[in-house]
Amino acid sequence: MLNNMLSRDLPRSKLLAAILLIIIVGLLATPFVFPGARSLNVGAKIAVFIVLAASYDLMLGYTGIVSFAHTMFFGIGAYGIGIASTQMGPTWTAVAAGTLAALILSTVLALGISLFSLRVRAIFFAMITLAVAAAFMTMASQFSDWTGGEDGLNFKVPELISPAFSLSDEKFLGANLDGKLIAYYMVVLISGGLFLLMLRIVNSPFGRVLMAIRDNDFRSEAIGYRNVTYRSLSSVLAAVFATLAGVLYALWLRYNGPGTTLSFDIMIDVLLIVVIGGMGTLYGAVVGSTLFNIAQGYLQDLLKLAQGNIDSLPVIGALFHPDRWLFWLGLLFVLSVYFFPFGIVGKLRAGALAKTRRSA
Amino acid sequence: MSMSAAIAPAKVEDLPAAPRDWLPILLVPILILLALPLVGSFPTWATLTIAGLAMGLIIFLVASGLTLVFGLMDVMNFGHGIFVALGAFVGVTTISMLGGWTASSSFALNLAAIGCAGLAAAVVAGTVGIAFERVMVRPVYGLHLKQILVTMGGMIVAEQVILALWGPEARPMMRPASLQGSFIFGDVAIEKFRLLAVCLGLAIFAAMFLLLNRTKLGLLIRAGVQDREMVEALGYRVRFLFIGVFAAGSALAGLGGTMFGLYQELVTTAIGAQMMVLIFIVIIIGGLGSVGGCFVGALLVGLASNYIGFVAPKVNLFSSILLMVLILLWRPQGLFPVAKR
């Protein structure tokens, strides 16, 4: 059954399987083991970013095209919920309407961009997505009547998943049984479902064609697959999953603004997650997103510690400033593109493979 | 008899002149004229046109290097914006060090201050460009995906270094005393600095045009863009040419950064990423690898964003994208498609 659920794409490394198991159990147990708002937030963010990063990997790792507009779709999903909830009130109808509208907009935009740019040359795609995403972001802050501009939108969600809702007054294992808990499990479980669906997609015949295009586009075209069609479909699918991730994130935060979902910083975060976790392996998104979100919370503390010791050196000291943590992640990013093109997951799998070969 | 006549080599005068493609160049005056009824008043239109030309020429300074680098070695440098930011910050520092020159009302001293700032920016950006080529770009030749990722990563790292060196605050960038304010011709007010930017941009474009079309070096560069392997087969090392072009492109981007900082009178680290968007649109419009196309594209984008920014500020950035979409629908490979690519 597990084999079917994972679409016969098993971790293929004992260490990786153990890490994934720890992450899954950790996410499910967070509300009871580490009660508190901060750890719940980190857990939900990890779950959402797993979907976001995995959907990006669908394009980057499996199809070999680079998009810089992925957070645009993430933002469309989040704004869909935000705008629908402020205009129609906190009902499930509003959630459904917002999600549907966001999905339609994302599909149309992704299809338009892909057909327009992938038709000519794949490198156009990277450049054009960068431009479109920048334009979209300025537009989102311009139309402030709808989007709340730079301040963003605070909105209410349906009662069942709002913090005011309460299942019982008593605590269970130290956690409040309230709407926040239900929302947390909704986010984590739906994220898990979406992840398994993506795993199914990349291991289908369709996914194989994507990988063929990635490895040798000339040859796949010669065999008879239309590269443009497959590449466009891949980018539309990625956009759809990113939109759903945005929907989940907005429902969890009950807030959305340009800085939380649309900004280019998030795009860079996703790039870092996918590359460091491992391109072309969806499990990389799980490992990368967990690592990244924990690091985001705690690397800064570590840097603060380090800065205390070398504050006297002029430039080096400035680089250890807690605000410069992106410098270290960027360095890690460049190094991993050079030396570990398949990231942590690729490294673990290669290690496991070498071990079985030695023993065989 | 007739045989030998046919074999005799054709004289240079006998060859038909290479056909010139004037249509894309005409787009610039057409756009300028079309904007007149759209904007409505003549003085505003004149001001906007000069502003658009100035902005377009600054964009051209930055974009020309990038398009040549792509043409020569098929390398798309997503970190090009970092040279713009670097140039802008070096420019700010130089100009603030030359406080005496910029404060004086002598035009020559003011110009010298800007010249020094531009030169310093170009030298620093060019040097960093060589290092960037060596460390970031060289290991990933021929791998498009990795190029995009690595140069993007390089941009993240370099941006953080700039933040560490200059601090996170936005720096105001004062224009020198005699370049503040405007010339007034009747109703038309034209900012002095914009006029200077137009002159400088045109001068550099002319120099580049002469270098590319009238020297052997330029011939080799143009030939390399058309067909790298053939130039290599003839015994020239396109790699060395490429390093030179990369350094020159970075230096020009640094100069463009200083000019753009003065144009906006404000310098932030976001200046690089902000400009990158426009640069990409410009070189796609022009046709990847084409300097002439880049020039026309830069003017179009500069003008369109100033006109639309006045008429409908909310959709400003989309105007450039709309322009790109229209042009690609007309010519899918850009205004001046480079052969083979």
Side-chain angles (χ1 to χ4, degrees):
Chain A
M1 193 196 98
L2 189 69
N3 208 355
N4 265 334
M5 250 173 83
L6 298 182
S7 315
R8 295 198 180 75
D9 184 5
L10 300 175
R12 296 209 301 273
S13 150
K14 278 184 189 138
L15 192 55
L16 177 59
I19 294 173
L20 289 174
L21 211 63
I22 292 173
I23 292 172
I24 294 168
V25 171
L27 279 180
L28 288 175
T30 296
F32 304 108
V33 182
F34 317 102
R38 189 178 173 191
S39 57
L40 267 192
N41 270 329
V42 172
K45 198 175 168 199
I46 289 175
V48 169
F49 270 65
I50 287 176
V51 178
L52 185 63
S55 64
Y56 191 65
D57 199 25
L58 211 62
M59 265 190 300
L60 179 66
Y62 284 91
T63 323
I65 48 181
V66 185
S67 157
F68 288 107
H70 207 58
T71 47
M72 177 172 87
F73 301 115
F74 189 50
I76 288 176
Y79 272 114
I81 294 292
I83 293 173
S85 297
T86 39
Q87 307 285 332
M88 298 165 63
T91 58
W92 287 106
T93 333
V95 172
T99 311
L100 194 70
L103 282 177
I104 292 173
L105 180 62
S106 286
T107 311
V108 170
L109 263 177
L111 201 64
I113 297 174
S114 336
L115 286 181
F116 190 72
S117 54
L118 288 172
R119 200 166 52 96
V120 187
R121 191 182 306 157
I123 203 163
F124 267 34
F125 189 73
M127 298 157 82
I128 287 179
T129 48
L130 191 81
V132 172
F136 191 85
M137 196 172 140
T138 31
M139 211 176 72
S141 42
Q142 292 282 345
F143 288 89
S144 48
D145 295 347
W146 287 81
T147 61
E150 290 292 329
D151 299 333
L153 290 169
N154 274 302
F155 50 88
K156 288 201 172 82
V157 290
E159 204 197 339
L160 181 67
I161 54 169
S162 71
F165 180 79
S166 177
L167 273 177
S168 99
D169 290 336
E170 286 175 39
K171 287 192 168 189
F172 179 74
L173 293 175
N176 290 319
L177 295 179
D178 57 4
K180 202 77 192 158
L181 192 74
I182 300 177
Y184 179 80
Y185 278 108
M186 184 190 79
V187 168
V188 169
L189 292 178
I190 295 182
S191 299
L194 290 175
F195 179 80
L196 291 179
L197 191 61
M198 279 187 268
L199 207 58
R200 181 66 256 185
I201 289 173
V202 296
N203 287 292
S204 67
F206 171 76
R208 292 282 178 260
V209 177
L210 294 186
M211 283 185 253
I213 293 174
R214 173 195 67 189
D215 293 336
N216 192 338
D217 57 347
F218 189 68
R219 193 165 173 191
S220 71
E221 186 96 45
I223 294 172
Y225 295 107
R226 307 244 339 188
N227 287 354
V228 182
T229 318
Y230 279 89
R231 280 184 174 140
S232 307
L233 273 178
S234 152
S235 92
V236 169
L237 275 175
V240 164
F241 280 105
T243 311
L244 291 174
V247 166
L248 287 178
Y249 202 42
L251 284 176
W252 169 255
L253 287 179
R254 288 170 285 125
Y255 163 80
N256 185 40
T260 31
T261 50
L262 272 183
S263 82
F264 198 69
D265 296 350
I266 310 259
M267 189 65 245
I268 289 173
D269 294 352
V270 174
L271 259 174
L272 290 170
I273 289 173
V274 171
V275 169
I276 293 173
M279 280 188 276
T281 57
L282 283 187
Y283 294 116
V286 181
V287 178
S289 153
T290 312
L291 207 69
F292 182 85
N293 280 304
I294 291 176
Q296 196 168 33
Y298 304 97
L299 184 66
Q300 283 173 327
D301 296 341
L302 203 73
L303 284 177
K304 251 176 226 153
L305 218 75
Q307 199 202 12
N309 297 324
I310 46 165
D311 214 9
S312 45
L313 299 165
V315 176
I316 313 266
L319 283 177
F320 277 95
H321 190 276
D323 288 347
R324 295 288 87 75
W325 72 294
L326 207 61
F327 172 81
W328 300 101
L329 278 178
L331 216 55
L332 187 64
F333 173 80
V334 172
L335 291 177
S336 53
V337 174
Y338 283 150
F339 301 112
F340 319 105
F342 299 102
I344 297 174
V345 170
K347 207 74 195 152
L348 288 175
R349 280 182 170 172
L353 199 67
K355 216 165 154 190
T356 39
R357 284 218 179 114
R358 259 203 308 279
S359 59
Chain B
M1 262 321 266
S2 61
M3 277 297 280
S4 66
I7 291 167
K11 283 181 225 137
V12 177
E13 302 90 74
D14 295 342
L15 291 173
R20 280 219 172 263
D21 191 2
W22 288 106
L23 221 52
I25 301 172
L26 280 179
L27 281 180
V28 178
I30 291 175
L31 180 69
I32 293 178
L33 288 179
L34 271 184
L36 183 53
L38 206 68
V39 173
S41 89
F42 178 76
T44 326
W45 172 79
T47 309
L48 287 175
T49 306
I50 292 292
L53 288 177
M55 188 175 157
L57 284 162
I58 293 174
I59 297 174
F60 168 73
L61 285 186
V62 180
S64 54
L66 192 65
T67 200
L68 266 183
V69 160
F70 182 83
L72 265 183
M73 291 302 258
D74 212 15
V75 166
M76 184 44 70
N77 179 12
F78 273 70
H80 196 67
I82 207 62
F83 303 125
V84 180
L86 192 64
F89 275 100
V90 172
V92 165
T93 310
T94 319
I95 282 195
S96 65
M97 277 185 344
L98 299 173
W101 288 11
T102 51
S104 91
S105 56
S106 144
F107 179 67
L109 270 183
N110 289 170
L111 209 58
I114 290 190
C116 283
L119 198 67
V123 168
V124 172
T127 318
V128 172
I130 293 176
F132 196 86
E133 196 274 341
R134 180 70 196 83
V135 179
M136 295 285 178
V137 183
R138 200 176 294 182
V140 288
Y141 273 125
L143 308 164
H144 267 162
L145 189 81
K146 282 195 171 184
Q147 263 168 27
I148 299 177
L149 294 178
V150 162
T151 51
M152 200 55 158
M155 173 137 169
I156 299 170
V157 172
E159 205 172 273
Q160 294 295 318
V161 173
I162 289 183
L163 278 171
L165 286 174
W166 273 281
E169 303 87 17
R171 298 285 186 95
M173 193 163 182
M174 288 291 286
R175 294 176 187 168
S178 67
L179 287 166
Q180 289 167 357
S182 315
F183 292 117
I184 312 281
F185 304 105
D187 288 341
V188 182
I190 291 171
E191 274 188 42
K192 291 175 189 169
F193 174 76
R194 288 176 181 167
L195 216 56
L196 177 77
V198 170
C199 294
L200 186 77
L202 283 178
I204 288 182
F205 174 67
M208 197 188 275
F209 187 83
L210 287 177
L211 178 83
L212 284 175
N213 289 296
R214 292 283 182 274
T215 65
K216 176 149 188 202
L217 187 67
L219 183 73
L220 285 176
I221 293 174
R222 280 184 300 134
V225 170
Q226 290 276 333
D227 192 338
R228 183 174 87 235
E229 283 173 3
M230 187 55 89
V231 178
E232 278 171 342
L234 289 172
Y236 296 100
R237 297 197 186 187
V238 176
R239 264 217 53 81
F240 287 153
L241 272 185
F242 173 71
I243 297 174
V245 170
F246 199 99
S250 320
L252 279 179
L255 177 62
T258 302
M259 295 303 283
F260 199 57
L262 284 166
Y263 180 88
Q264 290 193 318
E265 298 183 269
L266 188 75
V267 174
T268 61
T269 33
I271 201 171
Q274 194 188 338
M275 207 151 186
M276 221 41 210
V277 175
L278 291 178
I279 294 167
F280 278 155
I281 294 176
V282 162
I283 64 177
I284 290 178
I285 286 180
L288 295 178
S290 153
V291 174
C294 173
F295 182 69
V296 177
L299 290 184
L300 287 176
V301 166
L303 286 167
S305 77
N306 270 284
Y307 292 138
I308 306 281
F310 176 77
V311 178
K314 282 195 175 184
V315 290
N316 194 357
L317 243 180
F318 265 103
S319 71
S320 313
I321 292 181
L322 187 72
L323 189 73
M324 175 178 76
V325 169
L326 289 177
I327 284 178
L328 287 188
L329 285 177
W330 175 40
R331 292 192 171 178
Q333 300 278 350
L335 289 177
F336 294 104
V338 173
K340 233 189 74 173
R341 299 206 178 267

